[in-house]
Amino acid sequence: MIIVSMNGKNYRKGVGIIIVNSKGQFFLGKRIGAEAWQFPQGGIDEGENPKEALYRELYEETGLKSEKVTILDVSKKWLVYHIPHIFQRSKKRYDGAMQKWFLMQLTGTDDDINLKAIDHAEFDAWKWSDKDTAIKSVIKFKRKVYESILNEFSETLKGLKNN
């Protein structure tokens, strides 16, 4: 895990992943044991670059292999969100996340998605959604990041079918 200090706070460096299908819908995963839906995301490990973390996290959270997706766009900046104290774990290691975001198109099929690809799954359900549902479904403290990144990727998304 890579931690970056900024303004007296510690942020976990990570990646965020937006997967779109051929209809321009967004992949959302439901966190195990919660009614929280979100885009796949995760930390960058020591010795990993963002692209390596992207493919590792993609597989860990969705079961998708790199040959089943294509990168369409990458965020120009690292986006940051702060985790409110009530959501922080008791042994606080960081205050939030600093993420590089990737927009990916699914080139495989829904059958390639396997939430149980590894032993410690993050999601127990998944669905395709529209942009508004993606933003409304995520936990409140991540909404501004979702709005910001979907806005940044809007030109790329316009080129996709039905979006």
Side-chain angles (χ1 to χ4, degrees), residues 66-135:
S66 60
E67 63 268 16
K68 300 295 183 179
V69 292
T70 301
I71 296 175
L72 300 175
D73 209 344
V74 181
S75 62
K76 291 166 188 53
K77 300 184 294 185
W78 291 81
L79 298 175
V80 175
Y81 66 82
H82 185 77
I83 301 170
H85 292 292
I86 62 169
F87 294 108
Q88 290 180 3
R89 296 186 177 131
S90 59
K91 291 187 179 183
K92 182 177 122 176
R93 296 187 301 197
Y94 48 86
D95 300 290
M98 170 186 277
Q99 299 170 317
K100 177 64 76 170
W101 282 84
F102 293 84
L103 176 63
M104 310 188 87
Q105 175 134 34
L106 177 67
T107 55
T109 68
D110 288 3
D111 291 336
D112 295 316
I113 297 169
N114 176 10
L115 301 183
K116 296 180 180 176
I118 62 168
D119 289 339
H120 55 279
E122 301 258 346
F123 301 135
D124 60 13
W126 68 275
K127 64 183 177 183
W128 293 111
S129 74
D130 60 23
K131 176 182 172 181
D132 290 338
T133 300
I135 292 169

Side-chain angles (χ1 to χ4, degrees), residues 119-158:
D119 289 339
H120 55 279
E122 301 258 346
F123 301 135
D124 60 13
W126 68 275
K127 64 183 177 183
W128 293 111
S129 74
D130 60 23
K131 176 182 172 181
D132 290 338
T133 300
I135 292 169
K136 287 176 188 166
S137 297
V138 73
I139 196 162
K140 193 173 181 176
F141 64 85
K142 293 183 183 178
R143 284 191 190 146
K144 285 194 187 321
V145 168
Y146 277 39
E147 290 168 354
S148 177
I149 197 58
L150 288 168
N151 185 49
E152 181 177 338
F153 290 157
S154 65
E155 286 302 312
T156 304
L157 289 166
K158 278 183 193 172

Side-chain angles (χ1 to χ4, degrees), residues 19-46:
I19 305 164
V20 295
N21 64 14
S22 61
K23 297 175 184 172
Q25 297 169 312
F26 300 98
F27 174 96
L28 290 178
K30 186 176 93 52
R31 300 284 303 188
I32 289 179
E35 279 305 313
W37 292 84
Q38 67 179 52
F39 295 136
Q41 66 174 49
I44 298 173
D45 292 339
E46 290 291 337

